[in-house]
Amino acid sequence: MKKTERLIAVEDFISVKELSFDQFYDVRIGEYQITLQGKFDSDVTKKLMPVVTFALTDYGYLVGEINIPIEGSENTINVRIVLT
């Protein structure tokens, strides 16, 4: 699957949660996962909490992961969300 297709699938998912890539200062597209990194915002966590379980790291960051299904495919995209 192309990187753009994976990115579009993630964008579709976060837009349903009323979020956008603009709320994250770093978007990394790796071979096996996409990482969204942004500043802590209680609105962002509230919108993601029903589907993402966050854990507090030793450094005070919130980290969560979710597998997003790809429409028309049995594959999923692993998305890591880091809020600093």
Side-chain angles (χ1 to χ4, degrees):
M1 168 175 277
K2 294 180 182 179
K3 288 181 181 180
T4 54
E5 293 172 331
R6 290 187 288 159
L7 203 55
I8 288 169
V10 173
E11 185 177 37
D12 289 346
F13 170 78
I14 64 173
S15 69
V16 168
K17 300 294 179 191
E18 299 175 358
L19 298 171
S20 73
F21 284 134
D22 293 336
Q23 291 169 286
F24 301 94
Y25 59 80
D26 188 35
V27 178
R28 294 182 188 211
I29 308 167
E31 188 172 343
Y32 300 105
Q33 80 177 6
I34 292 178
T35 302
L36 306 176
Q37 187 169 352
K39 293 195 179 280
F40 174 80
D41 182 335
S42 61
D43 289 334
V44 171
T45 55
K46 286 176 187 175
K47 290 176 181 177
L48 292 172
M49 284 294 276
V51 294
V52 178
T53 302
F54 286 98
L56 185 63
T57 69
D58 292 341
Y59 300 104
Y61 302 149
L62 289 180
V63 178
E65 289 192 19
I66 186 170
N67 287 315
I68 298 173
I70 300 168
E71 192 173 325
S73 173
E74 293 182 14
N75 296 327
T76 61
I77 302 167
N78 183 284
V79 179
R80 184 171 191 249
I81 300 167
V82 180
L83 301 174
T84 60

